[in-house]
Amino acid sequence: METSLQVKIQNRTRDIEQIIYSYLPEETGYQKTVLAAMNYTMKAGGKRLRPMLMEETFRLFGGTDRKQIEPFMAAIEMIHTYSLIHDDLPAMDNDDYRRGRKTAHVVYGEAMAILAGDALLNYAFETAAKAFQGTADDIITAKAFRILASKPGIYGMIGGQAVDVETEQQQIPFEELLFIHENKTAALIECAMMIGAVLAGASDEEVRVVENIAKKTGLAFQIQDDILDRTSTQEELGKPVGSDEKNQKNTYVSMKGLSAAREDVIQYTKEAIDAFDSLHRENAFLRDLLRDLSGRKH
């Protein structure tokens, strides 16, 4: 099953990249350097996990109109990519490689990388706004737009990132580490899956279940990321390993150890799948994808 799943993931990734690329700006005009820096990082590859989860959740609830969801798929990948550009900056993680390529600040300089990140965040909302059609469906689109605006923000991804930066080289309680993981990583996965559900017409209760599935998946994903930073190689990951330890960051592994971290990945994944099954809806690929994320090697 694993081989066929990886082939399906690769096929969907190619399809998603075509969608994303169709929304990227042309590199023209006096500001073409910042546009090139945006596109350089957007085209650096990656799992395209968040738009994939969004689309598959959309399908789970019977969504069929891709014109409705494609702008949001592109937008969430832009938000994710801007966060990576800023994460890699000297003031943050100071990483020179991402997805096997030099990072934006190495290629374009620190100032232009900051601007490229800012530009992608702004352009994400410009892109998502293209989903508005001037019809009654715009009420649902507005609900999705609100999720896109809030989950990556101060009560989500940025909030988690801020606490992560602030607590480097400090001892913190385990509950605070969970807050960082739930917001810095899980919030954007919640954002993706909730938008997919909302746009397909899921009920409020179903959206709450989806939020919980995404939260558990995001925690498993981040803990596995902490494990890989300790156990993998730069060639396998496409980015430097050991940077958490180098920056004296609080991680799941540093607090609980490798063995307990691996056990918790399995537990969070089980909770996510149990919640998924409680919906009594069919999307075998999405179910397999959620299970696969916690066991990934890169």
Side-chain angles (χ1 to χ4, degrees), residues 21-90:
Y21 292 174
S22 73
Y23 285 97
L24 295 181
E26 290 184 30
E27 297 170 21
T28 58
Y30 288 121
Q31 75 275 47
K32 65 184 177 183
T33 303
V34 75
L35 303 176
M38 292 164 66
N39 291 347
Y40 170 81
T41 315
M42 285 294 296
K43 292 181 176 180
K47 303 175 188 73
R48 310 305 187 189
L49 170 64
R50 289 147 194 85
M52 192 179 298
L53 288 170
M54 183 186 291
E55 184 176 31
E56 293 305 324
T57 308
F58 184 66
R59 287 175 173 162
L60 179 70
F61 289 98
T64 56
D65 184 3
R66 293 192 78 182
K67 291 196 298 290
Q68 191 180 17
I69 196 168
E70 284 181 357
F72 282 96
M73 291 168 63
I76 200 157
E77 191 66 8
M78 290 171 190
I79 291 172
H80 175 55
T81 302
Y82 112 77
S83 74
L84 299 182
I85 292 175
H86 283 183
D87 269 359
D88 291 334
L89 289 168

Side-chain angles (χ1 to χ4, degrees), residues 9 17 25 33 45 47 107 111 143 157 202 205 210 217-218 221 231 265 281:
I9 290 172
E17 288 196 330
T33 303
K47 303 175 188 73
V107 177
K143 284 179 69 175
M157 184 183 72
E205 178 55 33
V210 166
T217 300
F221 186 87
T231 63
V265 167
R281 289 179 175 269

Side-chain angles (χ1 to χ4, degrees), residues 120-137:
L120 278 171
L121 176 58
N122 196 82
Y123 195 60
F125 292 102
E126 188 176 335
T127 300
K130 292 177 181 177
F132 289 103
Q133 302 292 325
T135 67
D137 288 340

Side-chain angles (χ1 to χ4, degrees), residues 156-230:
M157 184 183 72
I158 290 174
Q161 179 71 26
V163 177
D164 189 34
V165 169
E166 195 173 32
T167 57
E168 277 183 22
Q169 303 176 30
Q170 293 180 22
Q171 283 195 323
I172 60 172
F174 182 68
E175 291 73 21
E176 194 165 0
L177 178 73
L178 273 183
F179 173 88
I180 292 169
H181 284 359
E182 286 172 0
N183 288 277
K184 181 181 174 183
T185 302
L188 211 59
I189 294 174
E190 292 167 18
C191 181
M193 295 185 71
M194 289 170 72
I195 287 172
V198 165
L199 289 177
S203 69
D204 290 345
E205 178 55 33
E206 287 171 325
V207 173
R208 280 192 289 273
V209 173
V210 166
E211 184 176 23
N212 184 47
I213 294 167
K215 178 180 179 180
K216 302 295 186 184
T217 300
L219 283 169
F221 186 87
Q222 181 58 56
I223 298 166
Q224 182 68 6
D225 205 53
D226 291 353
I227 292 168
L228 291 173
D229 189 71
R230 181 71 68 89

